[in-house]
Amino acid sequence: MKTFEIEFHLVNGEVLTYMVEADTRYEALESIYQSFRHASDGFVQFEDELIVMLDHVTYVKVFEVN
């Protein structure tokens, strides 16, 4: 497993970061995509620390952390 940092770039210019473990960059992105896809109320919560409103995300970047 590798560690990936995910950056959520918001419409107001703010950048939120979240760490995820996955075998590949694609799997890291897929896990985030599935979280967004299943959000029925417009919010995604990652563990207890990060809550993201879907309408405020302009794009997502993923970087492998060494």
Side-chain angles (χ1 to χ4, degrees), residues 8-15 52-59:
F8 298 94
H9 293 259
L10 307 181
V11 294
N12 66 356
E14 186 178 357
V15 178
V52 178
M53 184 169 181
L54 301 180
D55 291 344
H56 293 173
V57 177
T58 56
Y59 62 94

Side-chain angles (χ1 to χ4, degrees), residues 4-60:
F4 293 90
E5 180 179 275
I6 301 183
E7 291 183 351
F8 298 94
H9 293 259
L10 307 181
V11 294
N12 66 356
E14 186 178 357
V15 178
L16 303 176
T17 59
Y18 181 70
M19 303 295 267
V20 65
E21 289 191 4
D23 289 324
T24 65
R25 185 174 177 261
Y26 174 81
E27 287 179 7
L29 282 170
E30 181 68 18
S31 70
I32 297 303
Y33 169 75
Q34 291 301 327
S35 297
F36 278 79
R37 189 170 155 243
H38 291 62
S40 59
D41 59 359
F43 292 89
V44 175
Q45 181 169 354
F46 298 99
E47 298 180 7
D48 293 334
E49 58 193 55
L50 180 65
I51 299 174
V52 178
M53 184 169 181
L54 301 180
D55 291 344
H56 293 173
V57 177
T58 56
Y59 62 94
V60 176

